[in-house]
Amino acid sequence: MGLTKEVSMEQQLAGKDFLTLADLSKPEIAYLLELAAYLKKQRLRGIVEQPLQGKTLGMIFEKSSTRTRVSFEAGIYQLGGTGLFLSSDDIQIGRGEPISDTAKVLSGYLDGIMIRTFSQQVVKELAESATIPVINGLTDSYHPCQVLADLQTIEEVKGGLSGVKLAYIGDGNNMAHSLMLGGAIMGLDVCIAAPGGYQPEKAITQQAQSLAALNGRKVEVTTDVHAALDQADVVYTDVWASMGQESEQSVREQAFIGFQVNKKLLELAQPDAVFMHCLPAHRGEEVAADVIDGESSVVFQQAENRLHAQKALMTALMG
């Protein structure tokens, strides 16, 4: 692929599953980010490299998507392969076939599986029975593919990752979990500000804190938005009611009063802080329109990087 990394790193990643960011080491994630940056530059130069010619990715969707579907489907095509969209209504897993049976059957047809679903246990069971790489496109617990693109974006706009402080304001959901893990592994300080009852899972927080300590960094969880934003280089938020939580919308709007990222809150961060959001966004709820559409926002650069990060991931695991 034109990189200077050892072949052993390519061999190390080939065939691996990607269920959470903790599945990969710091050097492995660093390699993926370097590969993503390389593939992005090649695309901008109009240079086409297709290391996955003849390879097929099966994409199982039990949750709808814009960025995940398009980044993987366009990405596998650009890499020379083929992507198959498989909704739960299209395959037998949606009619009660055991996950292990589906995994074994698909392993005979495909070179990789990406699944976007509700339960992390489903992804885990799929990976345990499959003999090809399984990529977690999103579950209620984790969104590791998004955070790969986020780390790429932070590296681009801040010139590096080590020592960067990321403040996440909002629901302690799958995004908060993956940002804590990814940030901890790659040497960021991460502070999650969420109201009581909506904070990240304690077990995942403790795992991230242990990983952060290995790099001399910190992962913190608080209800104090001001403390989280102090000295923050990156300010991140997500919707207050994720897919499947729509019935909780009004209750959550009350719980999250004071957690909207607006210009007043953004001023508590570093003067050159950037704003990030995994999208889709609800302007006027978790973020003010003049922030997400303002000069500090890098949300569309972040969204584009889903393509490059996913291409790197597929190249490494399926190549």
Side-chain angles (χ1 to χ4, degrees):
M1 293 299 299
L3 297 179
T4 58
K5 290 290 181 182
E6 297 178 1
V7 174
S8 60
M9 181 59 76
E10 296 173 0
Q11 294 171 337
Q12 191 171 309
L13 282 163
K16 272 194 143 185
D17 297 318
F18 185 58
L19 310 189
T20 81
L21 283 146
D23 290 338
L24 302 184
S25 66
K26 184 175 182 178
E28 287 172 335
I29 295 175
Y31 174 79
L32 288 176
L33 296 177
E34 183 182 350
L35 181 55
Y38 169 79
L39 291 169
K40 184 175 184 176
K41 287 178 182 176
Q42 293 295 81
R43 179 165 165 76
L44 290 172
R45 292 169 180 160
I47 300 172
V48 178
E49 296 193 28
Q50 298 188 322
L52 297 186
Q53 283 192 37
K55 300 286 180 90
T56 305
L57 175 75
M59 304 180 298
I60 302 173
F61 284 89
E62 292 189 307
K63 278 190 172 186
S64 60
S65 168
T66 298
R67 280 148 292 276
T68 299
R69 178 173 179 181
V70 177
S71 61
F72 273 102
E73 196 162 341
I76 188 71
Y77 173 77
Q78 291 172 18
L79 293 168
T82 301
L84 297 179
F85 174 80
L86 306 168
S87 78
S88 55
D89 294 330
D90 295 330
I91 57 177
Q92 298 301 321
I93 197 171
R95 297 176 60 191
E97 180 176 66
I99 295 167
S100 58
D101 287 1
T102 297
K104 291 169 185 175
V105 169
L106 293 181
S107 294
Y109 301 147
L110 306 170
D111 301 286
I113 300 169
M114 187 283 297
I115 179 168
R116 182 179 169 97
T117 186
F118 294 89
S119 170
Q120 185 71 15
Q121 185 61 30
V122 168
V123 179
K124 184 179 178 184
E125 290 180 23
L126 190 69
E128 286 172 348
S129 296
T131 57
I132 56 177
V134 173
I135 298 169
N136 178 5
L138 174 141
T139 64
D140 288 345
S141 298
Y142 301 100
H143 199 352
C145 290
Q146 175 66 53
V147 173
L148 269 185
D150 295 342
L151 291 171
Q152 181 184 355
T153 307
I154 295 168
E155 201 165 48
E156 288 174 347
V157 298
K158 293 297 178 183
L161 297 174
S162 182
V164 169
K165 180 180 177 181
L166 184 148
Y168 174 93
I169 313 297
D171 187 25
N173 58 14
N174 50 7
M175 278 308 313
H177 292 160
S178 289
L179 285 166
M180 288 193 299
L181 290 174
I185 294 167
M186 298 310 293
L188 283 75
D189 288 318
V190 180
C191 190
I192 308 293
Y198 296 95
Q199 297 192 331
E201 292 182 23
K202 287 185 178 179
I204 298 173
T205 301
Q206 290 169 354
Q207 180 186 20
Q209 288 172 334
S210 297
L211 290 168
L214 297 175
N215 289 312
R217 311 313 308 183
K218 293 185 297 183
V219 169
E220 300 173 295
V221 176
T222 182
T223 59
D224 189 339
V225 174
H226 288 217
L229 289 168
D230 184 45
Q231 301 299 307
D233 303 293
V234 178
V235 179
Y236 202 119
T237 193
D238 189 12
V239 295
W240 291 338
S242 298
M243 198 178 300
Q245 298 172 333
E246 289 84 359
S247 63
E248 303 174 27
Q249 180 69 33
S250 60
V251 174
R252 284 172 172 262
E253 285 177 4
Q254 290 300 309
F256 285 89
I257 290 174
F259 284 79
Q260 183 193 80
V261 179
N262 50 40
K263 280 196 170 181
K264 186 176 180 181
L265 281 188
L266 195 61
E267 288 172 357
L268 299 173
Q270 295 277 40
D272 62 346
V274 296
F275 173 77
M276 300 180 74
H277 193 305
C278 55
L279 301 179
H282 296 162
R283 288 165 172 79
E285 290 183 19
E286 75 277 3
V287 60
D290 57 3
V291 170
I292 193 170
D293 298 320
E295 293 181 358
S296 63
S297 177
V298 294
V299 297
F300 296 110
Q301 179 178 345
Q302 180 186 359
E304 181 194 331
N305 282 341
R306 287 294 302 275
L307 172 67
H308 312 299
Q310 265 63 281
K311 285 171 69 175
L313 188 63
M314 289 186 286
T315 297
L317 302 189
M318 296 170 57

